[in-house]
Amino acid sequence: MKKFYVTTPIYYVNDVPHIGHLYTTVIADVMARWKRLNGFEVFFLTGTDEHGAKLINTIHNTNRYALQNFCNKMSAKFKETWNLLNISYTDFIRTTEYRHYVAVSSVVNQLFKKGLLFLKEYTGLYCVGCERFYTVKDLDENQCCLLHKKKLLVQSEKNYFFKLSHFKDMLLERITNSKHSEYIDIQPEERKKEIIGKLNLGLDDISFSRTNINWGIPIPFDKTQTVYVWVDALINYLSGIGYPNNKDKFQHYWPTDIHFMAKDILWFHAVIWPAILMGIGYPLPKTIYSHGFFTCNGDKMSKSLNNVISPQYLVNKYGIDATRYLIINLIPFNTDGDISLIDLTVKYNTDLANNLGNLFFRIIKMIERYFNLNLPYVNKPNISLAQKLSTYFKINFCNNINNVKLQKALNTLQHGLSFVNKQIEIDSPWLLYKNNIGSLNLCISSYLQAIAIIAIHIFPFMPTVSQIMWTSICANGNIANVATQYFINNSIIPETGFLPIYGKVKMPGILFPRL
Ligand code: MSP
């Protein structure tokens, strides 16, 4: 069986889950669900990043018990949110877990043995918000970090350094040469070019440990230092799939197929992470996808501006599946975008309440009116409309998902819905009801087969709604199994269609009440 290993960043626990975290996580979830439907054995990893100075600054307390308690509480909030949103993660890794400590210690020991770590006295400007050192040229005229707008303080420490500079040419080769057996596909192209440009300017060795931050994993051979929080965090991608003790599991899933994140942390994933992996001799991630940043009504989302949109708020307003749908549709993957709640509601009403929801109810209502909710009887199911949709979706919808163009895929879904609406107008079943019951049965049955195709395709995006549609039309079997068969067979519809000969349609509640 083919495997697919997909990850989200592990989120800092100093913040509550918000719409930015939700975006990355829903995208990863759709890809995980999509690959499962295509017969892949999927490992989908998410989790929380719990060490470092940022956390100490947030709770103003260095007591280990207080810190761990806070992490437990905040990590649980992320888990709750993902469970609420139906995120089908395989495992949730926390950097304060023992299994992670073992993995980090093992990686650090190996790098040390290979001579890639060395002690050095260092003076630099550290941004706690970003958890990284900056040089003056990266800052504004007041020596503030561009992201957090806070004046950075000079810090002087004796740290272990990682010989990042040693990997410059190897990285460039692997990022630019698509024929290389270890090619890393960085998406989108514009950001890949930025990374290459920066790499070409030169690569400095980086600080790999901290002396005065004891909320972290100790350097195994020098307990006066803790591992730099970013190195600690990146190793979650190994510890989360069983490294170093569960060799079978680890070897089965490694390397990562797709790391998802926003552009803010692409450098860590595209440069520092592959260098560490080369240092310990492991294969490199295949694809690194970074998306843009959300702003809210023109402003950066932040607690102080009080404009953070919570996933819970969206779910209360739109429902779970609609939230998943809307979030993907909000911004094109590779650009930044502004979110306005008014636009969200317009999109909800247009795409979901008016198009998908209405089409479904229109068909169910016809069955109620013409057949008292019984499935229309036909000798041979009419799958022509379903076939037309299936072919259209295969070329557009499926290809777009395979290329991680989820928003485009959803646009083609809307097109597909209009095919069905048009066909209903052409057939005019209300006229057939009066004078041609045989044709009426065939038409309505073809709409139901089309609904089955739609339900199958929206499954990775809106699993609950698709399940409701499937069971309402009393389609055969479990939707996930049927969809898997369908996609594995290259989108071939069985001649018998998806419905039993006899059955009673169940009237569901309104899928997407108009707002
Ligand atoms: N802990 C590090 C990641 C370590 S991964 C080895 C971190 N955490 S974070 O909580 O700040 O999460 C950053 C990620 O959250 C972004 O890369 C993105 O995936 C998501 N987003 C957080 N805010 C966002 C927006 N305003 N817009 C879009 N996505 C953003 O960095």
Side-chain angles (χ1 to χ4, degrees), residues 10-12 18 20-21 24 49 230 237 262 264-265 291-294:
I10 48 169
Y11 303 112
Y12 285 129
H18 62 60
H21 309 124
T24 321
D49 190 350
W230 259 103
Y237 301 129
D264 55 336
I265 55 176
H291 58 76
F293 243 69
F294 284 154

Side-chain angles (χ1 to χ4, degrees), residues 287-440:
T287 315
I288 301 181
Y289 261 93
S290 71
H291 58 76
F293 243 69
F294 284 154
T295 48
C296 191
N297 298 321
D299 287 318
K300 180 179 182 296
M301 261 190 291
S302 88
K303 271 195 232 156
S304 52
L305 291 174
N306 205 13
N307 63 355
V308 174
I309 303 174
S310 79
Q312 183 71 58
Y313 173 84
L314 295 181
V315 167
N316 291 347
K317 184 155 183 185
Y318 302 107
I320 295 165
D321 280 22
T323 297
R324 293 170 58 101
Y325 181 96
L326 293 173
I327 192 114
I328 287 174
N329 256 299
L330 273 184
I331 54 169
F333 194 81
N334 51 0
T335 58
D336 295 341
D338 195 50
I339 302 172
S340 93
L341 287 174
I342 297 171
D343 291 351
L344 270 182
T345 303
V346 171
K347 186 81 181 155
Y348 171 90
N349 280 336
T350 322
D351 284 15
L352 298 176
N354 294 354
N355 283 358
L356 181 58
N358 258 1
L359 171 68
F360 179 65
F361 267 94
R362 190 177 185 194
I363 294 167
I364 299 281
K365 274 284 176 201
M366 286 195 266
I367 299 176
E368 185 184 35
R369 179 168 325 141
Y370 304 140
F371 307 107
N372 193 21
L373 286 177
N374 290 305
L375 285 182
Y377 178 80
V378 283
N379 283 332
K380 193 170 175 285
N382 177 355
I383 56 170
S384 56
L385 181 60
Q387 195 65 65
K388 186 174 164 192
L389 268 186
S390 159
T391 311
Y392 174 74
F393 283 155
K394 189 174 157 188
I395 298 167
N396 300 285
F397 187 86
C398 302
N399 277 346
N400 275 319
I401 306 186
N402 284 330
N403 294 319
V404 201
K405 296 198 164 124
L406 304 187
Q407 196 186 23
K408 276 199 176 158
L410 291 179
N411 288 344
T412 66
L413 171 79
Q414 292 296 323
H415 262 278
L417 300 180
S418 63
F419 289 172
V420 184
N421 270 323
K422 267 191 208 128
Q423 190 61 47
I424 297 176
E425 296 308 316
I426 295 169
D427 297 339
S428 307
W430 44 92
L431 299 179
L432 298 174
Y433 179 57
K434 294 193 183 127
N435 50 30
N436 193 346
I437 277 289
S439 297
L440 179 72

